[in-house]
């Protein structure tokens, strides 16, 4: 699917996605990554949702995000309950969805001016 952004300038946004890839600002990515409105963290080393640890989210704290949207790939998968519980105690809000829904949600939140991060499994 190809997305057409409203009015984004100097921000990373999703301009397309499909099975096994996302397109950010017209550049295709096929490996797991983290997308922030003003920064990309490419080649994120976590391979699967089951490998997630709280440290992966703690590393995003300096970016002062309001919310993290977690794209779990083609299928909707939940990380361990302990990670979600620890994140909540630290004030980190995580919304979990498949990667395509994550792309759409991220763009909407960025357009609203929200400080959001997308953690993606491609």
């Amino acid at each position: 699917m190809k997305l057409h952004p409203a009015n984004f300038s100097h921000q990373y946004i999703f301009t397309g996605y499909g099975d096994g890839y996302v397109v950010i600002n017209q550049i295709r990515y096929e490996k797991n990554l983290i997308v922030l409105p003003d920064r990309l963290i490419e080649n994120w080393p976590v391979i699967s949702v089951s490998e997630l640890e709280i440290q992966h989210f703690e590393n995003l704290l300096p970016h002062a995000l309001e919310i993290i949207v977690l794209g779990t790939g083609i299928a909707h998968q939940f990380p361990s309950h302990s990670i979600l519980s620890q994140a909540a105690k630290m004030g980190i809000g995580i919304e979990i969805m498949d990667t395509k829904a994550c792309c759409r949600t991220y763009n909407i939140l960025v357009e609203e001016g929200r400080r959001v991060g997308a953690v993606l499994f491609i």
Side-chain angles (χ1 to χ4, degrees):
M1 170 179 268
K2 188 171 185 175
L3 302 174
H4 297 282
N7 184 19
F8 298 103
S9 61
H10 307 293
Q11 295 182 36
Y12 290 104
I13 52 114
F14 294 96
T15 52
Y17 56 78
D19 291 341
Y21 73 93
V22 296
V23 181
I24 301 167
N25 294 4
Q26 307 302 324
I27 299 171
R28 184 178 172 125
Y29 296 88
E30 297 178 353
K31 298 192 186 270
N32 299 342
L33 73 156
I34 298 174
V35 184
L36 306 172
D38 55 357
R39 183 173 179 207
L40 285 180
I41 302 169
E42 296 182 56
N43 300 316
W44 191 48
V46 183
I47 295 170
S48 68
V49 174
S50 63
E51 287 185 6
L52 279 174
E53 296 180 9
I54 193 63
Q55 293 84 356
H56 298 119
F57 297 106
E58 286 175 338
N59 293 337
L60 297 175
L61 287 175
H63 299 284
L65 301 174
E66 294 176 50
I67 189 166
I68 295 170
V69 289
L70 173 62
T72 61
I74 294 171
H76 189 173
Q77 304 173 52
F78 282 93
S80 75
H81 178 69
S82 68
I83 289 173
L84 297 176
S85 175
Q86 291 173 6
K89 288 177 185 173
M90 295 171 60
I92 301 171
I94 302 173
E95 291 294 327
I96 302 145
M97 55 199 77
D98 66 63
T99 295
K100 292 177 183 178
C102 185
C103 294
R104 294 187 300 268
T105 302
Y106 172 91
N107 280 1
I108 290 167
L109 293 172
V110 168
E111 185 174 8
E112 290 176 352
R114 306 276 303 274
R115 197 73 192 138
V116 60
V119 176
L120 298 176
F121 290 95
I122 306 297

